[in-house]
Amino acid sequence: MVQYVGILTSGGDCPGLNAAIRAVGKACLEAYDIRIIGFQNGFRGLVQNQTLELDRKALSGILTDGGTILGTSRDKPHRMSIGGRVHDMTDAVVDTYRRHHLDALVCLGGGGTQKNALRLKKAGLSIITLPKTIDNDIAKTDVTFGFNTAVGIATEAIDRLHSTATSHDRIIVVEVMGHRAGWLALQAGTAGGADVILIPEIPYHIERVAQTIRERTRQGKHFSIVVVAEGALSLSDAEKVEELVHQKREAKDREEKEKASAKLEKFHKEHVGHTIHLTQELERLTGQESRLTILGHLQRGGTPSATDRVLATWLGTRCAQLLREGHDGFMLAVQDQELRPVPLEEVAGKKKLVSPDHPLVEAARLVGTSFGD
Ligand code: F6P
């Protein structure tokens, strides 16, 4: 019988985390007689035994708050930096789990968290994960909480940028988050009526983007809104990435694989800020004044939308129910408007990307949006 569970939030924060903590906690305490303890700052809290008691008072009044009352980090138990050196702290995590006599651990996180959770499952922990991220890129779930709020924030920003773009006859490039996936750019761009949407899954040619803008000018439309996912790639950059991924996949030994990984990482680090170059190039190619807005962490902060509060509450309470029934070892996913447990093995290390023929891409094209391809 499950009597005592731990909970943590890991990876980048997002709106809805507190709503999910509250849902798991309240359902555990009120409905299933399960006590719950929070670990702070992601997996680091488990290593260093940093805890927060989650009683009724702690869980009250947090539904609408952004961020996470538990704090978060991108720490991985098997590669944790401590005192400037990287250590495998898996044993310390298992030790804390046992010392507290936990029956299970709930991890609220994105793609990285699913991988960490699978490792800990293999180390003997009973784990359930809930999918959160503004990127909406977790495999096997139709949606993640945090995404809807971020789409709303980015859409509002695009709406506001429209009026200043029209007043000044400018091109405004809007960079949105999303990591290596284009969900956020696609949905916010579609909702905001962007003229061009650039996403990682559809490599773009800058001359085609410029052509679209010139054509708009010919039609008497003297402004353009270009929504760009932070991970969007030009055709030549996409070829570079493909080659590096190929090198990594085909590596004969560990050393070669590490080298290819390092090159790939270097590429992605240097790619940050690519929208500055894109904006300057569009100005040069079209002769039209251009400005760049990077929305950044605005998309992750603040109160969750009603949709995310509802989703987090649904996932959290169902998670408590499944804990009570003694189930573990899975991520609770949203599939066809139902919640289904998906084994961690099927989620970890996978990504859900926008397929280039996704119905929403087709819909955007049909209203005249260019993807620069
Ligand atoms: O995964 C969420 C996310 O906001 C991504 O969209 C973005 O690439 C990344 O996190 C930014 O991370 P950080 O806050 O660590 O800079």
Side-chain angles (χ1 to χ4, degrees), residues 55-122:
D55 54 14
R56 286 177 177 81
K57 189 161 176 281
L59 295 168
S60 185
I62 63 170
L63 171 65
T64 59
D65 292 345
T68 159
I69 58 166
L70 294 175
T72 186
S73 73
R74 295 196 187 274
D75 288 313
K76 307 175 177 84
H78 65 289
R79 279 179 60 81
M80 195 169 287
S81 165
I82 292 180
R85 296 186 62 184
V86 175
H87 301 268
D88 183 346
M89 302 304 288
T90 308
D91 288 348
V93 168
V94 176
D95 193 47
T96 308
Y97 181 91
R98 303 239 182 279
R99 208 161 353 120
H100 283 278
H101 302 289
L102 294 177
D103 297 306
L105 178 70
V106 178
C107 302
L108 315 188
T113 304
Q114 313 306 325
K115 288 196 248 176
N116 292 330
L118 177 59
R119 281 177 189 272
L120 294 180
K121 174 186 169 183
K122 287 179 178 161

Side-chain angles (χ1 to χ4, degrees), residues 16 52 61 65 109 143 158 174 192 262 265 279 285 346 352 360 371:
L52 184 74
D65 292 345
V143 71
I158 296 166
V174 193
E265 210 171 295
T279 309
L285 291 169
E346 290 179 26
K352 181 186 68 183
L360 274 184
F371 284 82

Side-chain angles (χ1 to χ4, degrees), residues 286-308:
T286 60
Q288 195 173 350
E289 207 176 23
S290 306
R291 292 287 187 271
L292 168 65
T293 299
I294 299 178
L295 296 181
H297 292 81
L298 268 179
Q299 297 156 104
R300 266 179 28 195
T303 190
S305 64
T307 299
D308 276 334

Side-chain angles (χ1 to χ4, degrees), residues 153-179:
I153 294 168
T155 303
E156 193 194 331
I158 296 166
D159 290 348
R160 289 177 184 280
L161 290 168
H162 251 107
S163 63
T164 171
T166 51
S167 304
H168 285 267
D169 289 347
R170 281 174 173 158
I171 299 170
I172 295 200
V173 175
V174 193
E175 182 190 304
V176 301
M177 281 187 166
H179 200 226

Side-chain angles (χ1 to χ4, degrees), residues 12-13 74 132-135 177-179 184 230 297 300:
D13 73 334
R74 295 196 187 274
K132 71 90 206 157
T133 166
I134 64 161
D135 304 336
M177 281 187 166
H179 200 226
L184 193 47
E230 61 179 343
H297 292 81
R300 266 179 28 195

Side-chain angles (χ1 to χ4, degrees), residues 8-53:
L8 60 82
T9 53
S10 165
D13 73 334
C14 77
L17 281 170
N18 285 326
I21 295 167
R22 168 183 177 269
V24 177
K26 284 202 169 188
C28 277
L29 290 174
E30 311 283 351
Y32 302 119
D33 204 19
I34 298 172
R35 286 184 306 125
I36 180 158
I37 183 171
F39 288 93
Q40 295 171 308
N41 308 318
F43 290 101
R44 186 166 291 265
L46 263 176
V47 169
Q48 298 176 343
N49 195 28
Q50 302 161 344
T51 60
L52 184 74
E53 203 194 326

